Amino acid sequence: MQMYLNHQRLTLRPQDAIAKGGEADIFRWQNDAIKLFKAPDHPDYHGFPQAQQAAQFRLDQHQTKLRQFPQNLPDRVITPTELVTDRAGRIWGYGMPLVEPARVLRQYSDRALHRSGIGNGAIAQILQDLHGTIAAIHRVGVVMGDFNDLNVLVQGDRAYLIDADSFQFGGFACTVFTAAFVDPLRCDPTANALMLNASYHSETDWYAFGVMVMRSLLCVGPYGGVYKPKNPAQLVPPAARPLHRITIFHPEVKYPKPALPIESLSDDLLHYCYRVFVNDQRGPFPVKLLQDLHWRTCPQCQLEHTRAACPVCTHATITPVPPPLTQTVRGTVTATVLHRTTGLILAAQVVGSQVQWLVHEAGQFKREGGAVILAGDRDPSLWAGLQGRTTLIAMAGQAIAFHPDQSPERLAVDTHQGQPQLVTNGRDRFWLHNGQLLKAGRFGPDYWGDVLAGPTQIWVGASFGVGYYRAGHLSVTFTFAVGQPGINDQVRLDWGRGQLIAAHCTVGAVRSWLVWAMQTDGITYYHGAVIHSTGAIEAQICAAQGDAPWLEAFRTHCAVGAALFAATDSGIVRVEVDQGQIHVVKTFPDTEPFVSTETQLLAGDGGLIAISPQEIMRLQLV
């Protein structure tokens, strides 16, 4: 079907794709962006009649809604500028300003981003900017409705709102919701999960903003953690916890390890959150609670907090001195600390019987043994990797390979969602540039195959690699061999429908474990697929958030033989495939004190190597 923008013929190519959402696809168009709504016959909706009906309703409603869209919204709202129509004048999307580079607000709830150099003081400023935009939207009689941290883009200290076409105004109601942000007072209290049964109001926007405040400043939402009541009869499904107000304040909720200590926030802000999420207080969020936060950093543990003294350390003014390396035996586990730092471990690998690492400490990037690679501050967009003695550092489309005996080598590298697409298995190095998969060869880059420039992401193991790209109607998964050029793009993987939030792949000797998070109909689901080196799909799994902690902890995964090991806040688990089904076959509860969902696992001689943000440890499991 031919599309037109302001009577100009519109030609969009897959390589122009910026994002693929649950309801629409986003493309780059000149210096702006184009949002195209998915038709009921879009491949993502095949086999889902309710989704097809919703797509038809959405398109029908936008024929009048977009033509009546408010023109007095604040500048921080990314509104339609021109309509995309077919030859008959039917609306299929719209043009809008492009906010780039930017991060979605959801990323600020990841502890890894906090550790990379973005402080809570800067995040509080972003939230204050967003607060002003919400108030301005309400003043003109508009309600956001499905307000969540995936439709907030952050650029510097400014927060921009996207997906404005779902806003509620006039007679146009918003009927969709996101489970983590919807007000339970507007949901069916008798259901086993959140189901919207009342219209949105300005108070529901402020409720969602309160969720964003907690997620951004604590790295956990009001209903995070794990609920383990002493009385099994009181157990409720994770999705139903908001209906029973079972929050992180509940004494039987296990607070997640990677989250910032709840006491790092001020009493005034915590008391307000308690009143909202436990006692059902509603109303505009008092911006003074954010303005009055005065952040300081503990010199001992580096925790950012708002207290007179660090809530974690007894003596907040002691100069940090790492404790001596130790060995601990707990039940069937022997844990030996190999390295500790007061800084941050950026990358690690196992080479033979040796563990190698890169750490940022006291303003320097240093390898194991203390060799300084370069000096400078951490940056949230920086990526680091190790290729034997070579150190790889990439940022903003450029990568540098620091060789111990040679001059630094510079590479131009494509990025995907802000992350440089440069990977290594410790021996070989692959990267993407201008739609080509390249491998470092003896005399320069070797061409390995063609991919889609922009939306492609890759991973590599010792003998093969995995990648994917999704744009518009395209959804392609592929494998490639480390020793032979070529790409197998015939992998038949069902990604499901919805908005892809994140993906990660752990590649073993002959099989890989691909995990991705997808937001579908307002609910976050975690999917997993076991892909053989031949491209065959051996098994798939899908679980709602909270139902499979090992699946959610995909950054911890380590493939060993036919099994996958994953670190959770409750300890390490072993996962295997049996008759086409993925199962947890063994748990190691004695590892609980030594790992969390921030712990990356590596296979090492005599056990697993656990890489935490500030510690490297060998775990021997019996």
Side-chain angles (χ1 to χ4, degrees):
M1 183 188 305
Q2 184 58 55
M3 299 291 181
Y4 298 85
L5 179 70
N6 195 23
H7 306 294
Q8 181 182 358
R9 186 169 179 171
L10 193 62
T11 301
L12 300 174
R13 305 169 303 168
Q15 53 265 43
D16 297 324
I18 299 173
K20 183 179 177 66
E23 300 177 355
D25 295 316
I26 313 297
F27 296 86
R28 189 186 309 276
W29 172 253
Q30 299 175 356
N31 295 323
D32 293 322
I34 296 291
K35 182 171 185 175
L36 287 184
F37 297 109
K38 296 177 181 178
D41 61 353
H42 192 284
D44 288 356
Y45 297 149
H46 287 176
F48 299 97
Q50 289 185 330
Q52 292 170 342
Q53 293 171 10
Q56 187 64 59
F57 172 81
R58 193 161 45 245
L59 282 169
D60 292 344
Q61 185 186 62
H62 282 318
Q63 303 311 307
T64 52
K65 183 178 183 179
L66 290 181
R67 289 191 169 95
Q68 298 177 25
F69 201 83
Q71 301 300 307
N72 55 350
L73 292 172
D75 293 340
R76 294 283 197 270
V77 180
I78 305 303
T79 56
T81 54
E82 302 286 350
L83 299 178
V84 174
T85 63
D86 59 18
R87 189 182 298 274
R90 182 170 175 79
I91 296 172
W92 289 92
Y94 58 86
M96 59 184 174
L98 177 62
V99 181
E100 195 179 50
R103 288 188 178 89
V104 292
L105 186 62
R106 187 187 186 103
Q107 290 180 269
Y108 290 79
S109 62
D110 188 340
R111 185 70 185 274
L113 190 65
H114 286 243
R115 295 185 189 278
S116 69
I118 293 182
N120 264 346
I123 296 174
Q125 289 293 327
I126 295 166
L127 293 170
Q128 289 178 57
D129 184 76
L130 179 58
H131 184 285
T133 301
I134 299 169
I137 290 172
H138 291 168
R139 283 196 293 270
V140 297
V142 176
V143 172
M144 286 174 283
D146 184 25
F147 182 30
N148 62 81
D149 58 6
L150 283 177
N151 56 30
V152 179
L153 294 181
V154 177
Q155 190 178 67
D157 60 359
R158 301 181 301 276
Y160 294 88
L161 287 164
I162 59 173
D163 295 337
D165 52 86
S166 67
F167 282 8
Q168 181 172 289
F169 61 89
F172 301 105
C174 178
T175 58
V176 294
F177 70 95
T178 301
F181 296 90
V182 67
D183 186 347
L185 293 179
R186 303 279 167 166
C187 296
D188 182 356
T190 64
N192 291 323
L194 294 165
M195 299 188 64
L196 190 68
N197 71 347
S199 61
Y200 285 108
H201 186 271
S202 61
E203 290 186 349
T204 60
D205 288 345
W206 288 120
Y207 175 92
F209 180 74
V211 176
M212 293 179 204
V213 168
M214 290 192 69
R215 286 168 64 110
S216 300
L217 297 181
L218 288 178
C219 299
V220 62
Y223 300 100
V226 178
Y227 176 48
K228 290 186 174 181
K230 294 180 181 178
N231 182 358
Q234 295 177 341
L235 186 65
V236 300
R241 279 178 53 191
L243 297 172
H244 299 273
R245 315 301 190 265
I246 302 173
T247 70
I248 57 173
F249 300 106
H250 194 286
E252 293 182 300
V253 169
K254 184 179 180 181
Y255 195 74
K257 290 181 181 180
L260 288 157
I262 195 168
E263 299 85 0
S264 61
L265 299 184
S266 68
D267 285 337
D268 288 344
L269 180 52
L270 289 176
H271 290 161
Y272 174 80
C273 291
Y274 187 92
R275 292 194 300 271
V276 169
F277 300 113
V278 178
N279 296 336
D280 292 339
Q281 175 179 313
R282 296 293 183 267
F285 185 99
V287 70
K288 195 171 187 300
L289 293 176
L290 296 173
Q291 295 168 341
D292 288 348
L293 295 176
H294 301 290
W295 298 94
R296 50 183 61 87
T297 302
C298 172
Q300 181 170 340
C301 70
Q302 304 302 307
L303 173 70
E304 270 193 299
H305 61 91
T306 60
R307 305 285 174 159
C310 177
V312 174
C313 300
T314 306
H315 305 289
T317 57
I318 294 178
T319 303
V321 177
L325 303 187
T326 59
Q327 185 176 86
T328 303
V329 177
R330 186 178 191 269
T332 61
V333 178
T334 300
T336 305
V337 177
L338 305 179
H339 180 71
R340 283 195 180 106
T341 176
T342 57
L344 182 67
I345 298 167
L346 301 178
Q349 67 178 5
V350 177
V351 179
S353 60
Q354 301 297 314
V355 181
Q356 299 176 338
W357 62 81
L358 175 70
V359 64
H360 182 270
E361 191 175 66
Q364 295 179 321
F365 295 83
K366 297 189 292 187
R367 285 292 299 260
E368 72 285 349
V372 176
I373 304 302
L374 76 161
D377 296 329
R378 298 197 301 268
D379 188 282
S381 60
L382 181 144
W383 173 90
L386 304 178
Q387 185 184 1
R389 297 171 62 204
T390 299
T391 304
L392 306 172
I393 293 180
M395 189 171 66
Q398 293 291 323
I400 303 178
F402 294 91
H403 307 285
D405 306 317
Q406 305 172 30
S407 299
E409 175 189 1
R410 295 183 179 272
L411 305 169
V413 179
D414 290 347
T415 60
H416 174 76
Q417 296 180 345
Q419 292 297 311
Q421 288 308 295
L422 170 65
V423 296
T424 176
N425 57 16
R427 181 188 67 249
D428 309 291
R429 184 197 321 158
F430 288 84
W431 69 97
L432 302 177
H433 182 55
N434 286 341
Q436 291 186 334
L437 175 62
L438 304 172
K439 179 185 179 183
R442 184 177 179 182
F443 303 107
D446 291 334
Y447 168 77
W448 227 249
D450 291 322
V451 295
L452 195 61
T456 303
Q457 189 169 7
I458 57 172
W459 301 268
V460 69
S463 61
F464 78 105
V466 176
Y468 79 91
Y469 51 85
R470 302 178 78 242
H473 287 66
L474 290 175
S475 188
V476 177
T477 311
F478 60 89
T479 60
F480 57 95
V482 166
Q484 182 178 354
I487 288 176
N488 171 22
D489 59 4
Q490 300 302 307
V491 180
R492 303 304 181 195
L493 177 63
D494 179 11
W495 283 81
R497 63 182 183 87
Q499 181 175 358
L500 181 65
I501 298 172
H504 182 76
C505 190
T506 302
V507 186
V510 295
R511 57 163 54 92
S512 62
W513 303 74
L514 178 64
V515 179
W516 64 98
M518 187 83 76
Q519 185 160 289
T520 307
D521 297 334
I523 300 173
T524 300
Y525 293 92
Y526 287 85
H527 301 253
V530 180
I531 306 174
H532 195 270
S533 59
T534 60
I537 305 298
E538 297 185 346
Q540 283 197 238
I541 188 174
C542 176
Q545 189 169 18
D547 289 344
W550 72 268
L551 196 58
E552 298 180 32
F554 50 78
R555 291 193 185 100
T556 76
H557 290 180
C558 172
V560 180
L564 179 80
F565 288 87
T568 73
D569 281 1
S570 301
I572 293 174
V573 301
R574 178 183 174 119
V575 182
E576 295 183 4
V577 177
D578 180 29
Q579 297 182 349
Q581 300 295 315
I582 301 174
H583 300 284
V584 173
V585 296
K586 189 173 183 179
T587 62
F588 301 89
D590 289 339
T591 62
E592 186 272 336
F594 309 114
V595 300
S596 74
T597 54
E598 276 196 307
T599 305
Q600 179 192 1
L601 299 179
L602 301 175
D605 286 351
L608 293 173
I609 306 299
I611 315 294
S612 296
Q614 295 181 301
E615 190 173 66
I616 299 176
M617 184 179 296
R618 176 178 286 109
L619 300 177
Q620 294 171 291
L621 313 179
V622 178

